[in-house]
PDB file of all heavy atoms in Angstrom:
ATOM      1  N   PHE W1031      26.867 -20.220  61.964  1.00 93.00           N
ATOM      2  CA  PHE W1031      26.457 -18.884  61.515  1.00 93.00           C
ATOM      3  C   PHE W1031      26.085 -18.043  62.704  1.00 93.00           C
ATOM      4  O   PHE W1031      25.597 -18.511  63.767  1.00 93.00           O
ATOM      5  CB  PHE W1031      25.159 -19.034  60.648  1.00 93.00           C
ATOM      6  CG  PHE W1031      25.372 -19.930  59.393  1.00 93.00           C
ATOM      7  CD1 PHE W1031      25.025 -21.257  59.530  1.00 93.00           C
ATOM      8  CD2 PHE W1031      25.781 -19.365  58.231  1.00 93.00           C
ATOM      9  CE1 PHE W1031      25.248 -22.103  58.420  1.00 93.00           C
ATOM     10  CE2 PHE W1031      25.954 -20.295  57.117  1.00 93.00           C
ATOM     11  CZ  PHE W1031      25.658 -21.628  57.216  1.00 93.00           C
ATOM     12  N   TYR W1033      23.855 -14.681  63.518  1.00 96.00           N
ATOM     13  CA  TYR W1033      22.828 -13.745  63.046  1.00 96.00           C
ATOM     14  C   TYR W1033      22.668 -12.530  64.095  1.00 96.00           C
ATOM     15  O   TYR W1033      22.759 -12.845  65.310  1.00 96.00           O
ATOM     16  CB  TYR W1033      21.521 -14.468  62.895  1.00 96.00           C
ATOM     17  CG  TYR W1033      21.437 -15.299  61.594  1.00 96.00           C
ATOM     18  CD1 TYR W1033      21.912 -16.525  61.725  1.00 96.00           C
ATOM     19  CD2 TYR W1033      20.770 -14.856  60.557  1.00 96.00           C
ATOM     20  CE1 TYR W1033      21.816 -17.384  60.590  1.00 96.00           C
ATOM     21  CE2 TYR W1033      20.661 -15.673  59.421  1.00 96.00           C
ATOM     22  CZ  TYR W1033      21.256 -16.960  59.417  1.00 96.00           C
ATOM     23  OH  TYR W1033      21.147 -17.781  58.358  1.00 96.00           O
ATOM     24  N   ALA W1087      23.922 -20.314  65.140  1.00 92.00           N
ATOM     25  CA  ALA W1087      23.264 -21.460  64.484  1.00 92.00           C
ATOM     26  C   ALA W1087      24.268 -22.477  64.007  1.00 92.00           C
ATOM     27  O   ALA W1087      25.315 -22.130  63.581  1.00 92.00           O
ATOM     28  CB  ALA W1087      22.215 -20.981  63.406  1.00 92.00           C
ATOM     29  N   SER W1088      23.882 -23.794  63.970  1.00 90.00           N
ATOM     30  CA  SER W1088      24.793 -24.722  63.515  1.00 90.00           C
ATOM     31  C   SER W1088      24.027 -25.746  62.791  1.00 90.00           C
ATOM     32  O   SER W1088      22.787 -25.891  62.876  1.00 90.00           O
ATOM     33  CB  SER W1088      25.657 -25.400  64.581  1.00 90.00           C
ATOM     34  OG  SER W1088      24.888 -26.323  65.296  1.00 90.00           O
ATOM     35  N   ASP W1089      24.737 -26.457  61.888  1.00 84.00           N
ATOM     36  CA  ASP W1089      24.046 -27.580  61.118  1.00 84.00           C
ATOM     37  C   ASP W1089      24.232 -28.892  61.858  1.00 84.00           C
ATOM     38  O   ASP W1089      24.643 -28.900  63.045  1.00 84.00           O
ATOM     39  CB  ASP W1089      24.646 -27.684  59.676  1.00 84.00           C
ATOM     40  CG  ASP W1089      26.031 -28.189  59.697  1.00 84.00           C
ATOM     41  OD1 ASP W1089      26.679 -28.254  60.730  1.00 84.00           O
ATOM     42  OD2 ASP W1089      26.503 -28.567  58.599  1.00 84.00           O
ATOM     43  N   THR W1095      19.627 -31.925  57.647  1.00 71.00           N
ATOM     44  CA  THR W1095      18.583 -31.363  58.521  1.00 71.00           C
ATOM     45  C   THR W1095      18.866 -29.839  58.662  1.00 71.00           C
ATOM     46  O   THR W1095      19.948 -29.452  58.565  1.00 71.00           O
ATOM     47  CB  THR W1095      18.527 -32.056  59.903  1.00 71.00           C
ATOM     48  OG1 THR W1095      19.833 -31.927  60.420  1.00 71.00           O
ATOM     49  CG2 THR W1095      18.121 -33.477  59.643  1.00 71.00           C
ATOM     50  N   PRO W1096      17.821 -29.070  58.983  1.00 80.00           N
ATOM     51  CA  PRO W1096      17.940 -27.626  59.043  1.00 80.00           C
ATOM     52  C   PRO W1096      18.909 -27.222  60.149  1.00 80.00           C
ATOM     53  O   PRO W1096      19.191 -27.909  61.098  1.00 80.00           O
ATOM     54  CB  PRO W1096      16.586 -27.173  59.203  1.00 80.00           C
ATOM     55  CG  PRO W1096      15.664 -28.212  58.733  1.00 80.00           C
ATOM     56  CD  PRO W1096      16.451 -29.523  59.140  1.00 80.00           C
ATOM     57  N   LEU W1097      19.198 -25.934  60.081  1.00 85.00           N
ATOM     58  CA  LEU W1097      19.977 -25.304  61.063  1.00 85.00           C
ATOM     59  C   LEU W1097      19.332 -25.374  62.414  1.00 85.00           C
ATOM     60  O   LEU W1097      18.076 -25.301  62.476  1.00 85.00           O
ATOM     61  CB  LEU W1097      20.296 -23.847  60.741  1.00 85.00           C
ATOM     62  CG  LEU W1097      21.141 -23.523  59.642  1.00 85.00           C
ATOM     63  CD1 LEU W1097      21.176 -22.040  59.370  1.00 85.00           C
ATOM     64  CD2 LEU W1097      22.602 -24.055  59.833  1.00 85.00           C
ATOM     65  N   VAL W1098      20.086 -25.481  63.464  1.00 87.00           N
ATOM     66  CA  VAL W1098      19.568 -25.399  64.797  1.00 87.00           C
ATOM     67  C   VAL W1098      20.016 -24.003  65.370  1.00 87.00           C
ATOM     68  O   VAL W1098      21.192 -23.691  65.378  1.00 87.00           O
ATOM     69  CB  VAL W1098      20.146 -26.479  65.761  1.00 87.00           C
ATOM     70  CG1 VAL W1098      19.647 -26.308  67.146  1.00 87.00           C
ATOM     71  CG2 VAL W1098      19.683 -27.869  65.128  1.00 87.00           C
ATOM     72  N   PHE W1099      19.091 -23.248  65.866  1.00 90.00           N
ATOM     73  CA  PHE W1099      19.464 -21.936  66.364  1.00 90.00           C
ATOM     74  C   PHE W1099      19.463 -21.930  67.969  1.00 90.00           C
ATOM     75  O   PHE W1099      18.609 -22.583  68.529  1.00 90.00           O
ATOM     76  CB  PHE W1099      18.382 -20.885  65.971  1.00 90.00           C
ATOM     77  CG  PHE W1099      18.454 -20.417  64.547  1.00 90.00           C
ATOM     78  CD1 PHE W1099      17.968 -21.201  63.502  1.00 90.00           C
ATOM     79  CD2 PHE W1099      19.180 -19.307  64.231  1.00 90.00           C
ATOM     80  CE1 PHE W1099      18.100 -20.806  62.256  1.00 90.00           C
ATOM     81  CE2 PHE W1099      19.246 -18.813  62.978  1.00 90.00           C
ATOM     82  CZ  PHE W1099      18.717 -19.619  61.955  1.00 90.00           C
TER      83      PHE W1099
ATOM     84  N   VAL S 355      20.249 -27.368  52.844  1.00 67.00           N
ATOM     85  CA  VAL S 355      19.317 -27.132  54.024  1.00 67.00           C
ATOM     86  C   VAL S 355      19.953 -26.565  55.198  1.00 67.00           C
ATOM     87  O   VAL S 355      19.375 -25.857  55.929  1.00 67.00           O
ATOM     88  CB  VAL S 355      18.556 -28.471  54.284  1.00 67.00           C
ATOM     89  CG1 VAL S 355      19.597 -29.400  54.904  1.00 67.00           C
ATOM     90  CG2 VAL S 355      17.456 -28.213  55.216  1.00 67.00           C
ATOM     91  N   SER S 356      21.263 -26.836  55.281  1.00 71.00           N
ATOM     92  CA  SER S 356      21.948 -26.278  56.545  1.00 71.00           C
ATOM     93  C   SER S 356      23.360 -25.738  56.300  1.00 71.00           C
ATOM     94  O   SER S 356      23.847 -25.060  57.223  1.00 71.00           O
ATOM     95  CB  SER S 356      22.034 -27.449  57.543  1.00 71.00           C
ATOM     96  OG  SER S 356      22.787 -28.497  57.139  1.00 71.00           O
ATOM     97  N   GLN S 358      24.133 -23.639  54.019  1.00 80.00           N
ATOM     98  CA  GLN S 358      23.990 -22.337  53.326  1.00 80.00           C
ATOM     99  C   GLN S 358      23.297 -21.387  54.261  1.00 80.00           C
ATOM    100  O   GLN S 358      22.275 -21.814  54.949  1.00 80.00           O
ATOM    101  CB  GLN S 358      23.294 -22.487  52.022  1.00 80.00           C
ATOM    102  CG  GLN S 358      24.048 -23.380  50.972  1.00 80.00           C
ATOM    103  CD  GLN S 358      25.430 -22.894  50.676  1.00 80.00           C
ATOM    104  OE1 GLN S 358      25.601 -21.623  50.498  1.00 80.00           O
ATOM    105  NE2 GLN S 358      26.359 -23.710  50.483  1.00 80.00           N
ATOM    106  N   GLN S 360      20.609 -18.762  55.653  1.00 90.00           N
ATOM    107  CA  GLN S 360      19.237 -18.462  55.406  1.00 90.00           C
ATOM    108  C   GLN S 360      18.989 -17.036  55.482  1.00 90.00           C
ATOM    109  O   GLN S 360      19.661 -16.245  56.238  1.00 90.00           O
ATOM    110  CB  GLN S 360      18.374 -19.185  56.507  1.00 90.00           C
ATOM    111  CG  GLN S 360      18.510 -20.620  56.322  1.00 90.00           C
ATOM    112  CD  GLN S 360      17.585 -21.382  57.452  1.00 90.00           C
ATOM    113  OE1 GLN S 360      16.783 -20.763  58.042  1.00 90.00           O
ATOM    114  NE2 GLN S 360      17.899 -22.665  57.705  1.00 90.00           N
TER     115      GLN S 360
END
Side-chain angles (χ1 to χ4, degrees):
Chain W
F1031 303 91
Y1033 287 80
S1088 76
D1089 70 345
T1095 56
L1097 291 176
V1098 178
F1099 283 83
Chain S
V355 66
S356 61
Q358 298 298 321
Q360 296 179 16

